[in-house]
Amino acid sequence: MNLRAPQRTGIVFFPAFDWAIDPTHPEREERLLYTRDQIFEEGLLDIDGIVQFPPRVAAEADVARVHTGLPALADHLSDSHLISAGGAIEAGRRVLDGEVERAFALVRPPGHHARRVVWGLRGFCVINIEAVMIEHLRRHHGPDLRVAVVDTDCHHGDGTQDVYWNDPDTLFISIHQDGRTLYPGSGFPDEFGGPNAYGATLNVPLPPGTTDEGLLHVIDHLVLPVLEDWKPDLVINSAGQDNHFTDPITDMAITAQGYAELTRRLRPHVAVLEGGYSVQDALPYVNTGILLAMAGLDTRHVVEPDYRPGRFTVSEDARRYVERLCEILLEKYRDRDGLRRSAFGDRAHHREERQVFYDGAGITEHQAETVRLCDACGGSVQLETWVQPSRKALVVEIPRRCCPACRSDAEAAWERAGLDRYRWVELRDRPADRVERKTAGRSG
Amino acid sequence: MNGIYLGIDVGGTHTDGVAVENGRILRKAKVPTQDDLVECTLDALETLLDGLNPRSVRRVVLSTTLVTNAIVQGRLEPTGTLLTAGPGIDPAVFAPDDRCRVVGGAVDHRGREIVPVDEGAATEHLDRLAGDGVRTVAVVGKFSTRNPTHELRLAELAGDRFDYVAQGHRVAGTLNFPRRVATAYLAAGAWRSHREFVAAMTAALRRFSVLAPLYVLRADGGTQMAAALANPAETALSGPAASVMGVDALGAVDGDTLSLDIGGTTTDISVFTGGAALLEPRGATVGSYRTQLRALYTRSTGAGGDSCVRLEDGRVRLGPDRCGPPAAFGGTHPTPTDALVVLGRILGDRHRAADALRPVARGLDLPVEAAARAVLRELGRTVAEAARKFLDEINAQPVYTIHELLQGHRVRPLRAVAVGGPARAAAPYLEDALDLPVRVPEHFDVANAVGAALARVNVEVHLVADTARGYLSIPQVDAYERIDRRFSLEDARQRIDRAVLDLARARGALDPDDRVERVDEESFNVIQGFSTAGAIHRLRAQIRPGILARIA
Ligand SMILES: [Zn+2]
Ligand SMILES: [Zn+2]
């Protein structure tokens, strides 16, 4: 009578019933209410081998390891974000400690649209909870952790992509609805990583209406072969649930069965809830499916009330498009070293400019990033950022596994950067786990 | 409280009883427990009533092992089960035995019917059960506490071919389908033997000229009239509950307090905080059944006064088994009780106790007195370790709001209370091991019976009002009502208070001091699209388990 999970699985469940962006915002108190009801009614927390852990409150230092907050990091942090990130940390920590084989951080608010630099709220996100977790784990459990993040939220995980753009030790794969049809409008196959991490970012834009079959095709024919080659120590799934056919803000056709099967095939060590706003008709079933699949239990009966097999179909063209996309991307991934040479040649530095829109704050940020090309490490990075040209910031990053040449390059840039040109200059010395700042004027 | 209150706790080895009047213990009884529970209850009753006027008895509260034993020993009446489920885990997994059948039908998390109940399949299974001579049935639906229509219909289909139909939504108000299945199944399986026991006891009370109503103690430390008990499985685990209520009644609780009931082979640990004993977060586990039965939060450790003492790798070990009574009282094996006798802390045959302990002393290369102290230190260590683990578990209980998480209330007892036979003699050893002051109240040897005598009639009620659906449910009082969009949180508060008082009155005498306590309140806006379609109010209210009066 008592179910036993073949895979010992942890769950950090923190629905934050007392927090919302605003009362009718999709990211509101009610979001995980029905999910809690389903979890409790199913008795999921009674299953032998499913263990519940409380979240912790992440420290500001955990966040500072990932984000540069402007004007100051503290301006953007709230208890809700620190607990959500702390929930993810707790899930990852229990896996690395060997207490459980897998863990699911069923927490809110989400984080995958939060980028390295934070000027405000973007896509419901302020801090990147997966990145905060990963860097906490690297700091406390092993600096050499090889990590893969597979983002299956319906929106492009542009924040996570940005955090790991120059990191050759973190593979980021985002599967999402085509950016030409959905926020944030990015995530195309040519976004392939920075010059020292080329091919460590993979983007799989899927046509609206994609079904379970299409999504699972991507897992089988692209994600799993890449993971097999990459050999990560830790696989993280940014488990957004807004691909569901009932989601109010997207146009995909994934079912609870699809999510369960995806989880079973992907076998993530840690799944972290991201988006998903069909709070009544999808989340209770999808979350149940994901948790059961992680635990290695039967999910055949986890079906939405209005589901019937064969309800969703796609055109032959759309099917072939997805197959072809996987072929091209896999080929591109396999040829990434050759492509890197032809893309960047033997330049000393690579410079990129970009604009970032903060939908939650209604502001546009400008960035100019210069990366030192390096075969030995992720390369030193100098990132200029401003919303108003008169208030620029420079962020200098010494990467986690930094070679001496890149370190002197970064230190020279830090010395050079004067407060005549910048309002703020931040040195992020990752090997020393230290953040230093020079600030012009008194107001910061 | 006027009149005499009788409390009787039928335990594994002893049956204890007390008669209490105006905060004074008038009589105590301790008789050996027999196979026939009615017999030993009557023995205790006879002692208690000696010299008292039976007509001044106000109520008789019984706590027995009847239902616990039937469950643990697999002596439940054969019961048929019908389940309806819908999306989620395959419901067949939760079939308690092969007389169970899953029939079509589903209700979702908001109580909306998704699939109508398959009456044909249900009738077919009920016919088969009736044909096989099965007389009790449990019908349980997923989310039935949100909408019991399917269970009500199944009960209707069962009709009067069965003597008793346990309905899931009536046995517990919380969400947990597998536990609801187990709870309803146990309720049906225990129904007949409980009923017969109550009938026999009521008749016996009348022979003693006791006209007061018979009450039973429940696992949560509350009591109610035996005749009004909806779910007989609730009397399982009433023994540990009796002791916990006794600790409270003996006036020994002060702030966060650890309560220890030292029995023959086990020590039961429980915790008081905020003036009340903690309850199991999801429900009691009885035998192999995880149930929704509301129960006091207790953990049992396999070390008590009669536990067998062994030497293992040159170290003293206790239990978990019992090898007969202590040597000092006619047994053959050494026990902690013998250690207490050797040290002169309790009276008994000191020579026999010392003889039994001598091989242990030799193994430890110590004089017998030192070995006896080592045995008692081991008793203290075992209890203290279990208590610490238990407190960690209590303090790891999940919370779901930022407010609660940041508040982070932790239970940290500053004192302990010990009751049960060896409590007074063993207290110094418990004090050392726990590093807490241990208090042993007067009448510690009959704390369980005192708890039964003075337990309060308590109730717990859950209300869900969903104004978007226009529906309100309070499963415990069978209230399923239409509400309109304007139904507010304040309306919900008034409705639940009324339900609590109604239910308390139905269960027995209402105490003038009874206060309705609203323990949980949640209110959510239901958003459809981007506008508010209504609100969901969820409330839980209770008359908390407690005692009517303290022993002066
Ligand atoms: Zn999303
Ligand atoms: Zn380098």
Side-chain angles (χ1 to χ4, degrees):
Chain A
M1 275 193 47
N2 296 332
L3 270 177
R4 176 169 288 282
Q7 281 146 203
R8 205 171 152 76
T9 302
I11 177 167
V12 178
F13 180 48
F14 197 76
F17 284 139
D18 49 355
W19 183 82
I21 287 180
D22 65 57
T24 60
H25 194 282
E27 194 51 63
R28 62 181 181 266
E29 296 92 337
E30 181 201 1
R31 186 168 165 229
L32 290 176
L33 177 65
Y34 311 105
T35 291
R36 177 182 66 171
D37 289 352
Q38 194 77 32
I39 287 177
F40 282 16
E41 178 70 351
E42 296 292 342
L44 294 182
L45 303 177
D46 271 335
I47 294 174
D48 292 324
I50 291 186
V51 197
Q52 189 176 12
F53 301 116
R56 64 167 72 188
V57 185
E60 194 174 326
D62 289 318
V63 182
R65 213 172 274 130
V66 173
H67 294 294
T68 296
L70 290 167
L73 188 54
D75 299 344
H76 304 288
L77 298 182
S78 73
D79 292 330
S80 60
H81 297 104
L82 293 174
I83 295 169
S84 183
I89 289 175
E90 208 52 34
R93 186 178 80 77
R94 305 284 182 160
V95 171
L96 288 190
D97 283 348
E99 281 179 68
V100 288
E101 292 168 69
R102 295 157 206 290
F104 187 11
L106 195 39
V107 296
R108 58 180 283 267
H112 76 150
H113 296 303
R115 308 164 64 105
R116 278 172 285 175
V117 173
V118 178
W119 286 94
L121 182 71
R122 280 195 81 234
F124 316 167
C125 305
V126 174
I127 64 178
N128 194 302
I129 60 178
E130 288 89 341
V132 169
M133 161 182 70
I134 293 166
E135 298 316 312
H136 175 97
L137 297 177
R138 281 177 164 149
R139 178 69 197 159
H140 296 281
H141 294 256
D144 300 329
L145 270 183
R146 240 173 119 71
V147 180
V149 180
V150 181
D151 186 323
T152 52
D153 188 278
C154 193
H155 301 91
H156 175 226
D158 58 343
T160 315
Q161 169 169 306
D162 178 70
V163 173
Y164 291 111
W165 189 244
N166 295 307
D167 185 348
D169 302 321
T170 307
L171 173 69
F172 176 68
I173 306 178
S174 181
I175 307 168
H176 46 264
Q177 183 177 326
D178 194 313
R180 286 167 297 189
T181 62
L182 190 67
Y183 179 90
S186 54
F188 299 100
D190 62 340
E191 296 162 43
F192 202 55
N196 303 319
Y198 208 54
T201 293
L202 287 176
N203 279 294
V204 194
L206 296 176
T210 296
T211 61
D212 294 350
E213 197 193 351
L215 180 63
L216 295 173
H217 183 91
V218 176
I219 299 297
D220 289 344
H221 295 90
L222 178 65
V223 177
L224 293 180
V226 168
L227 288 178
E228 190 165 325
D229 176 76
W230 180 269
K231 296 190 177 36
D233 303 311
L234 202 61
V235 177
I236 314 289
N237 180 204
S238 291
Q241 304 176 3
D242 37 12
N243 289 297
H244 194 265
F245 64 87
T246 60
D247 198 276
I249 61 178
T250 64
D251 317 290
M252 301 290 260
I254 307 302
T255 70
Q257 283 291 297
Y259 274 104
E261 194 52 40
L262 175 147
T263 309
R264 201 187 321 282
R265 295 188 195 180
L266 185 60
R267 300 172 56 77
H269 296 98
V270 181
V272 180
L273 176 67
E274 277 293 334
Y277 301 96
S278 174
V279 301
Q280 284 193 37
D281 300 325
L283 265 58
Y285 309 109
V286 174
N287 282 310
T288 301
I290 290 177
L291 184 59
L292 288 174
M294 288 187 91
L297 290 161
D298 177 25
T299 55
R300 276 170 306 167
H301 296 261
V302 185
V303 286
E304 303 82 350
D306 47 355
Y307 168 81
R308 57 187 162 68
R311 173 170 167 186
F312 302 104
T313 52
V314 293
S315 69
E316 188 58 22
D317 280 353
R319 196 172 60 78
R320 243 179 285 129
Y321 171 84
V322 172
E323 288 173 9
R324 188 73 194 115
L325 182 63
C326 290
E327 283 165 22
I328 293 170
L329 277 166
L330 186 58
E331 207 174 308
K332 199 173 169 193
Y333 168 79
R334 293 204 161 123
D335 194 23
R336 61 192 182 281
D337 292 335
L339 290 170
R340 174 184 179 230
R341 272 188 298 277
S342 52
F344 302 101
D346 42 14
R347 272 177 281 163
H349 288 90
H350 170 72
R351 185 179 158 90
E352 272 178 36
E353 293 185 10
R354 51 179 91 96
Q355 292 187 357
V356 181
F357 180 61
Y358 288 74
D359 56 304
I363 53 174
T364 301
E365 173 199 10
H366 303 265
Q367 290 192 349
E369 177 175 280
T370 307
V371 182
R372 181 179 186 274
L373 264 70
C374 182
D375 290 325
C377 77
S380 57
V381 180
Q382 297 167 48
L383 179 65
E384 283 186 299
T385 163
W386 67 95
V387 174
Q388 298 152 270
S390 60
R391 288 158 61 92
K392 281 193 181 180
L394 177 71
V395 181
V396 179
E397 171 118 358
I398 301 172
R400 205 175 44 254
R401 191 165 53 69
C402 187
C403 75
C406 286
R407 174 171 282 278
S408 17
D409 183 69
E411 282 170 352
W414 161 252
E415 294 302 330
R416 212 167 42 234
L419 294 176
D420 47 338
R421 284 186 60 201
Y422 298 107
R423 182 89 175 218
W424 306 276
V425 184
E426 186 168 289
L427 177 70
R428 306 178 56 77
D429 186 342
R430 298 300 313 285
D433 197 32
R434 192 166 54 86
V435 177
E436 225 181 298
R437 225 185 228 211
K438 301 189 262 197
T439 304
R442 284 179 302 118
S443 58
Chain B
M1 43 177 287
N2 295 316
I4 298 172
Y5 286 65
L6 297 186
I8 299 175
D9 176 45
V10 184
T13 43
H14 289 111
T15 296
D16 298 325
V18 291
V20 181
E21 186 178 33
N22 289 327
R24 278 186 318 119
I25 295 184
L26 302 177
R27 298 274 186 284
K28 285 192 201 183
K30 206 179 248 304
V31 299
T33 295
Q34 306 163 27
D35 287 342
D36 186 344
L37 299 183
V38 177
E39 277 306 310
C40 52
T41 310
L42 294 182
D43 287 352
L45 201 59
E46 200 170 348
T47 315
L48 294 178
L49 288 174
D50 182 31
L52 298 179
N53 176 5
R55 290 184 192 272
S56 45
V57 173
R58 276 285 299 276
R59 68 174 203 190
V60 180
V61 183
L62 270 184
S63 142
T64 77
T65 51
L66 180 80
V67 169
T68 313
N69 287 349
I71 294 170
V72 173
Q73 296 162 8
R75 288 189 286 99
L76 293 168
E77 176 174 354
T79 292
T81 313
L82 278 86
L83 306 180
T84 62
I89 295 173
D90 181 358
V93 169
F94 305 117
D97 60 28
D98 55 11
R99 279 179 292 266
C100 174
R101 170 136 177 216
V102 179
V103 300
V107 166
D108 81 355
H109 45 79
R110 276 186 68 197
R112 298 171 296 200
E113 182 181 74
I114 308 170
V115 181
V117 67
D118 182 347
E119 301 195 354
T123 305
E124 190 188 311
H125 187 55
L126 288 163
D127 288 347
R128 181 167 325 129
L129 290 169
D132 291 348
V134 172
R135 307 298 307 276
T136 56
V137 177
V139 297
V140 186
K142 194 180 271 187
F143 287 115
S144 65
T145 50
R146 291 286 153 79
N147 176 353
T149 317
H150 289 179
E151 286 178 0
L152 294 171
R153 182 65 190 135
L154 289 173
E156 220 169 73
L157 291 173
D160 45 17
R161 283 178 294 173
F162 299 92
D163 297 334
Y164 180 72
V165 181
Q167 300 179 32
H169 69 282
R170 292 205 173 136
V171 297
T174 49
L175 294 177
N176 194 319
F177 178 63
R179 285 180 184 260
R180 189 177 312 124
V181 173
T183 310
Y185 174 75
L186 296 181
W191 174 79
R192 193 178 313 275
S193 59
H194 175 77
R195 198 172 111 115
E196 286 167 357
F197 177 72
V198 168
M201 276 309 307
T202 308
L205 285 178
R206 299 299 172 263
R207 284 202 301 280
F208 278 94
S209 302
V210 175
L211 302 178
L214 179 69
Y215 280 63
V216 286
L217 195 72
R218 297 199 318 263
D220 64 0
T223 185
Q224 75 172 88
M225 268 193 292
L229 186 70
N231 175 6
E234 287 179 351
T235 62
L237 307 180
S238 56
S243 294
V244 177
M245 300 326 283
V247 164
D248 197 359
L250 294 174
V253 176
D254 182 10
D256 286 5
T257 302
L258 204 59
S259 158
L260 309 170
D261 177 15
I262 309 170
T265 54
T266 58
T267 296
D268 292 336
I269 306 168
S270 55
V271 173
F272 285 86
T273 185
L278 284 176
L279 293 162
E280 279 275 3
R282 282 177 228 159
T285 298
V286 190
S288 61
Y289 298 93
R290 289 184 185 149
T291 75
Q292 272 176 310
L293 296 170
R294 217 166 98 102
L296 294 178
Y297 206 178
T298 55
R299 284 292 173 269
S300 201
T301 180
D306 300 354
S307 294
C308 213
V309 175
R310 289 171 291 117
L311 263 188
E312 225 176 67
D313 305 325
R315 285 200 53 193
V316 176
R317 293 282 176 203
L318 298 181
D321 46 335
R322 178 175 190 263
C323 317
F329 300 98
T332 52
H333 285 74
T335 65
T337 301
D338 293 309
L340 291 167
V341 171
V342 164
L343 296 172
R345 298 193 61 85
I346 52 180
L347 291 176
D349 187 330
R350 199 162 177 280
H351 286 291
R352 289 190 53 114
D355 283 349
L357 268 176
R358 202 151 283 130
V360 176
R362 224 174 286 128
L364 293 170
D365 198 18
L366 289 171
V368 170
E369 286 77 9
R373 281 190 286 273
V375 167
L376 295 168
R377 276 197 302 274
E378 176 60 15
L379 176 67
R381 195 196 61 79
T382 313
V383 171
E385 192 183 285
R388 272 189 282 270
K389 247 179 83 181
F390 186 30
L391 286 169
D392 285 346
E393 185 185 314
I394 289 169
N395 285 321
Q397 286 309 316
V399 297
Y400 299 117
T401 60
I402 293 167
H403 174 75
E404 290 170 291
L405 185 82
L406 296 178
Q407 267 201 337
H409 173 73
R410 294 177 67 82
V411 179
R412 278 205 193 81
L414 296 176
R415 56 188 55 75
V417 178
V419 297
R424 177 160 288 161
Y429 295 90
L430 296 171
E431 249 175 15
D432 280 355
L434 289 165
D435 201 17
L436 291 177
V438 174
R439 208 169 137 197
V440 181
E442 202 186 340
H443 309 300
F444 64 93
D445 53 333
V446 288
N448 49 347
V450 174
L454 295 177
R456 183 186 285 276
V457 171
N458 73 322
V459 298
E460 186 190 54
V461 165
H462 297 249
L463 175 150
V464 177
D466 184 335
T467 69
R469 252 191 88 216
Y471 196 69
L472 170 146
S473 62
I474 313 176
Q476 293 75 19
V477 293
D478 244 328
Y480 297 91
E481 299 160 4
R482 296 249 132 239
I483 51 173
D484 67 21
R485 280 285 299 272
R486 294 184 306 271
F487 192 88
S488 66
L489 179 60
E490 190 47 43
D491 294 331
R493 288 180 181 141
Q494 287 175 16
R495 184 68 190 86
I496 198 170
D497 287 2
R498 189 149 54 83
V500 167
L501 293 173
D502 286 349
L503 187 59
R505 261 180 230 112
R507 283 186 168 185
L510 199 56
D511 191 76
D513 294 342
D514 282 349
R515 276 184 316 110
V516 178
E517 186 186 4
R518 287 192 295 265
V519 265
D520 281 333
E521 248 181 39
E522 293 178 345
S523 253
F524 295 89
N525 287 325
V526 177
I527 312 293
Q528 261 145 26
F530 287 86
S531 62
T532 307
I536 293 182
H537 307 296
R538 296 180 178 184
L539 288 78
R540 183 164 66 93
Q542 65 176 2
I543 291 174
R544 64 157 71 178
I547 44 154
L548 294 168
R550 296 222 153 74
I551 297 297

